[in-house]
Amino acid sequence: MGIRSRSFLAFAVLTLFTLLASLVGWVSYNRIGDELDRVVQVNMNSLQLMANLKEYGTSITVRAPTLLTAKDEITHQQIQREVNLDVEAMLNLLSEDTKQHRLVTPATTLIAQINTLNDVLEKLNKNVARQLQTEAEKMAFSQKLRWLASTFLNDIDSVTQSSERLSDNEQQAFNGDLRALYRIKADVNLLTNLVDRVQHLPDLSSLIAINIHSNEVVESLGNDLSLLSTSQDYLAIKQAVLDLTLLAKGHNNIFSIRRQERNLVEKSQVLLEAVRHELSGLNQLLSKQANNAELAAQEAAQNVQATIKQGRIWAIFLVGGSLLFLVLIVWLYIGHNIVARITSLNASMRSIASGDLDTEIQINGHDEIGAMALSLRSFRDQLSTLQEELVQSGRLAAVGQLSAGIAHEINQPLSAIRHYTRNSTRLIQLGRIKEAEENLTHINLLTKRIITTISQLKSMAKGQPSNLQMVDVKKAIDNAMLMLSGDKVLADTHLVIDLPEGETQVYADPNQLEQVIRNLITNALDAVSDNVHKTIRVNCQGDDDHVEIKVSDNGLGIPKALRKQILDPFFTTKKRGLNLGLGLSIAYNLVKGFGGKLTIDEGVEIGASFCIQLPRYKQGKHERPE
């Protein structure tokens, strides 16, 4: 298996861990969602149902006692209608969809309890209706009592007033009846008061006492009525007294009405207590259901917590396994296998790139990196063979290039020597000895130049030390120009030499300084060789510590990309074979050996400008001890 197949396998394992973690999360969330649905849609609905039923039950508890205090039938019917609406609302709530509530107490039990409560309420309503009817009978009885009492008083007053018109004899005969009439009137007034008081007596003992008293009054009335004569004038009085006594002792008298009323009140209290009992039973059932819903909610919450805990454990296990597998892959396989092998391979490549073709290349594994190592070993072996061939070719090319450069450096002064020799021969023949001597002097200088060039090559090859001493810059420039006097390009070039007045003495090797100046001027001549108007400037200036020599031309200049390489050995912009590329490098090293600097002037826009900065010669500082 290669790296690609192993990577796909690792990715597949990590994907499997991710899928398992997602599956655990999905199952956990589904269970949590089911429990929450159970709490919200079932338990909460059940709690809401119980709360609504309790609310209607509380309304019935408040309204039921008001039935007993209803003053009239209209108020009674209104209260009864409101109570019936509450009962009907409770039944409607239970009959909508009890299955979704999952009631512990069956809905039929609750409905039976409410129906029982409704039956008791119906009985209470009927009993209250009879109470109101009894109250109406009391009112009618009271009106009848007042009417009979008023009629009796009118009749008896009429009889007593008519006695005033009787004669004395008739008056004496009527006195017996008159005394009976006064007793009857007093007893009727007393009976009327007793009957009227019966309607408002609060306790049973008072009612019994008045009943006994009224019986005694009725008996006294009967005795007094029997004493009256049989006169037609007393018939109305007797009838009125009889009607009044019937109100106290007759059928459906006031005492029976009051007993019936008390029975109804007591029964209403019993029925009201029964209503409260049924409501208490209903509340107990509702409380039981509410407690069950609460317990179910707590159970659901515990299930949710258990699911979350279990999901966390599985998630931690899967994530931990995934991280462990990932660490093993990254640390063992990628770190200790792939990265280590790539690092080793990279080190081998760097060693080979730096030229160490004997570097050992480790080949471990049969994957892509192993194939790369095999390819690198094959490349190293081929490169080693090619390097030997290139070294041999480079040696031959270097010898040829060095030979061409040396020939160029020597042929130039040799051509000048040949020219001066031929002229000297003719001048001697013409007797112009002085001019011939000047030519011989030039020949001597050129010979010295050749010797100096060969010495410099030997010095560069052997690293011979410089002979540092006081050197006059002006003289060094003149000697360098004298050695270039036979150059054809120089003859067509406008040469400007700007030397300061006074001493320009530096601390350097005179021959090497002349060589540096000559190399810079020679390069300037090569740069302006193709120009129509050729200009070279040699400028010298200085301060207390340094002297600067600038050689500038109006040639093509040096591209910025090549300025950093222009001072490197064997680097040249001229055609191969015409120059070794050692002139500027030798000049740079020579100036550096003087304690100075050779730099390229970056501020020049046209052509090129080289600056030689040398330490000014100071007596005492640069003198050698004896």
Side-chain angles (χ1 to χ4, degrees):
M1 293 180 65
I3 295 176
R4 182 177 181 180
S5 300
R6 294 172 186 173
S7 300
F8 276 125
L9 179 60
F11 176 76
V13 174
L14 291 176
T15 303
L16 179 60
F17 274 109
T18 304
L19 290 176
L20 289 175
S22 301
L23 180 61
V24 169
W26 182 73
V27 172
S28 299
Y29 286 138
N30 277 348
R31 291 184 61 184
I32 293 172
D34 293 340
E35 294 296 335
L36 291 177
D37 289 341
R38 175 185 169 191
V39 171
V40 175
Q41 296 182 4
V42 178
N43 296 327
M44 294 302 293
N45 290 336
S46 297
L47 289 174
Q48 183 64 37
L49 174 63
M50 298 303 105
N52 292 335
L53 291 175
K54 280 190 174 183
E55 181 179 358
Y56 289 121
T58 303
S59 178
I60 294 173
T61 303
V62 173
R63 288 194 175 103
T66 61
L67 289 170
L68 303 181
T69 60
K71 300 300 182 181
D72 51 38
E73 186 63 25
I74 296 176
T75 305
H76 168 251
Q77 290 180 358
Q78 181 179 357
I79 296 173
Q80 182 182 1
R81 184 166 53 253
E82 292 174 354
V83 172
N84 290 337
L85 288 175
D86 291 336
V87 173
E88 184 178 357
M90 295 173 73
L91 293 174
N92 289 335
L93 285 174
L94 289 172
S95 63
E96 286 178 355
D97 186 9
T98 55
K99 292 183 179 180
Q100 65 174 346
H101 303 306
R102 298 182 185 177
L103 301 175
V104 173
T105 303
T108 54
T109 303
L110 293 173
I111 292 173
Q113 182 72 22
I114 295 172
N115 287 330
T116 303
L117 172 64
N118 192 31
D119 292 339
V120 177
L121 287 171
E122 288 293 333
K123 292 178 181 179
L124 179 61
N125 287 329
K126 292 178 180 179
N127 200 69
V128 171
R130 286 197 294 270
Q131 279 186 253
L132 292 174
Q133 184 178 359
T134 303
E135 186 69 24
E137 290 178 359
K138 282 172 58 179
M139 295 294 294
F141 184 88
S142 178
Q143 291 177 1
K144 185 177 181 180
L145 175 64
R146 290 186 179 89
W147 180 79
L148 289 175
S150 176
T151 302
F152 168 77
L153 291 175
N154 290 331
D155 291 341
I156 199 170
D157 288 340
S158 177
V159 172
T160 56
Q161 290 175 3
S162 64
S163 65
E164 296 177 356
R165 297 190 295 270
L166 296 175
S167 61
D168 292 336
N169 293 328
E170 291 175 349
Q171 185 71 33
Q172 290 179 356
F174 181 70
N175 285 336
D177 292 337
L178 185 58
R179 285 193 294 271
L181 287 174
Y182 283 135
R183 286 195 301 271
I184 289 171
K185 181 179 181 181
D187 289 338
V188 167
N189 287 330
L190 177 59
L191 181 62
T192 301
N193 290 330
L194 290 174
V195 171
D196 187 59
R197 287 180 60 191
V198 168
Q199 300 181 48
H200 308 289
L201 288 176
D203 55 286
L204 181 61
S205 59
S206 299
L207 182 63
I208 295 173
I210 291 178
N211 189 12
I212 295 172
H213 195 184
S214 65
N215 288 334
E216 293 175 353
V217 173
V218 170
E219 185 178 356
S220 175
L221 284 172
N223 294 330
D224 290 332
L225 286 175
S226 64
L227 296 176
L228 291 177
S229 62
T230 58
S231 173
Q232 293 294 327
D233 295 331
Y234 301 141
L235 291 178
I237 294 174
K238 290 180 179 180
Q239 184 62 43
V241 172
L242 181 61
D243 291 338
L244 284 172
T245 56
L246 288 176
L247 292 178
K249 290 192 66 176
H251 176 71
N252 199 21
N253 59 66
I254 186 61
F255 295 101
S256 63
I257 293 174
R258 282 291 288 152
R259 283 193 295 273
Q260 182 180 2
E261 182 184 21
R262 288 186 60 82
N263 292 333
L264 290 173
V265 170
E266 291 176 357
K267 187 176 182 181
S268 294
Q269 292 295 335
V270 173
L271 291 173
L272 181 60
E273 189 63 30
V275 169
R276 290 171 179 169
H277 177 74
E278 297 299 330
L279 285 171
S280 176
L282 178 61
N283 286 330
Q284 289 178 359
L285 292 176
L286 296 178
S287 298
K288 182 178 179 181
Q289 180 59 40
N291 291 334
N292 176 72
E294 184 176 355
L295 292 175
Q298 293 177 358
E299 181 184 358
Q302 292 175 357
N303 292 336
V304 169
Q305 291 179 354
T307 301
I308 293 174
K309 183 177 180 181
Q310 188 176 8
R312 285 176 180 172
I313 294 174
W314 276 103
I316 291 172
F317 173 75
L318 292 174
V319 172
S322 176
L323 290 176
L324 178 61
F325 181 76
L326 185 61
V327 168
L328 293 176
I329 289 295
V330 173
W331 183 48
L332 293 180
Y333 179 63
I334 297 178
H336 285 67
N337 190 340
I338 295 178
V339 175
R341 291 164 62 197
I342 291 176
T343 303
S344 175
L345 188 61
N346 180 56
S348 301
M349 293 172 66
R350 289 180 179 274
S351 298
I352 293 172
S354 63
D356 185 8
L357 299 181
D358 295 329
T359 301
E360 184 65 25
I361 300 173
Q362 298 292 334
I363 300 177
N364 297 320
H366 302 284
D367 51 14
E368 291 84 347
I369 299 177
M372 290 173 62
L374 288 173
S375 299
L376 182 62
R377 177 183 288 182
S378 177
F379 173 75
R380 182 201 63 183
D381 296 340
Q382 294 179 8
L383 186 62
S384 179
T385 304
L386 291 175
Q387 186 184 34
E388 293 178 359
E389 297 176 357
L390 289 174
V391 168
Q392 185 65 26
S393 300
R395 289 173 181 172
L396 295 176
V399 170
Q401 186 176 9
L402 181 62
S403 300
I406 294 173
H408 175 72
E409 289 291 325
I410 295 177
N411 282 337
Q412 188 177 17
L414 286 177
S415 297
I417 290 173
R418 185 179 61 181
H419 173 71
Y420 284 125
T421 302
R422 185 171 57 251
N423 288 342
S424 297
T425 302
R426 292 181 181 178
L427 290 172
I428 291 173
Q429 292 174 355
L430 296 174
R432 296 164 62 180
I433 302 302
K434 187 175 181 180
E435 294 180 359
E437 289 177 356
E438 293 178 356
N439 286 340
L440 291 174
T441 301
H442 290 311
I443 290 172
N444 184 35
L445 293 174
L446 292 171
T447 303
K448 186 178 180 181
R449 174 184 172 184
I450 294 172
I451 294 172
T452 301
T453 301
I454 295 174
S455 298
Q456 288 174 349
L457 290 172
K458 291 171 63 180
S459 176
M460 183 184 68
K462 296 182 179 181
Q464 295 178 356
S466 301
N467 182 22
L468 301 180
Q469 56 184 320
M470 181 188 70
V471 179
D472 188 357
V473 174
K474 297 179 181 179
K475 185 176 180 181
I477 294 174
D478 290 340
N479 290 337
M481 295 305 302
L482 181 61
M483 296 181 69
L484 293 172
S485 60
D487 193 287
K488 295 181 180 181
V489 178
L490 182 60
D492 298 332
T493 302
H494 177 59
L495 182 63
V496 180
I497 300 177
D498 184 11
L499 300 176
E501 296 180 1
E503 296 181 353
T504 54
Q505 297 175 343
V506 296
Y507 188 66
D509 185 304
N511 293 327
Q512 293 179 354
L513 180 58
E514 291 177 10
Q515 180 184 358
V516 171
I517 297 172
R518 188 173 68 251
N519 282 344
L520 293 179
I521 295 175
T522 300
N523 287 340
L525 291 173
D526 291 339
V528 300
S529 61
D530 295 332
N531 288 11
V532 177
H533 302 287
K534 306 175 181 63
T535 302
I536 296 177
R537 295 181 180 274
V538 180
N539 182 28
C540 181
Q541 59 185 2
D543 54 23
D544 293 339
D545 296 325
H546 298 89
V547 175
E548 290 185 353
I549 305 170
K550 286 187 178 181
V551 179
S552 306
D553 61 69
N554 64 341
L556 297 177
I558 303 172
K560 291 183 178 180
L562 302 179
R563 290 182 182 180
K564 292 184 179 180
Q565 306 175 36
I566 198 70
L567 298 177
D568 293 342
F570 297 103
F571 181 82
T572 180
T573 58
K574 301 177 183 179
K575 295 181 180 180
R576 293 292 177 183
L578 298 180
N579 191 278
L580 288 176
L582 294 174
L584 287 176
S585 177
I586 292 174
Y588 175 80
N589 291 321
L590 291 177
V591 172
K592 185 177 180 182
F594 303 158
K597 293 189 296 183
L598 175 61
T599 58
I600 302 172
D601 192 355
E602 300 287 346
V604 177
E605 296 181 356
I606 299 176
S609 177
F610 290 87
C611 178
I612 305 171
Q613 186 183 69
L614 298 173
R616 185 181 287 276
Y617 179 81
K618 294 183 179 180
Q619 191 173 4
K621 179 179 180 181
H622 294 131
E623 289 180 352
R624 296 180 180 179
E626 296 295 335

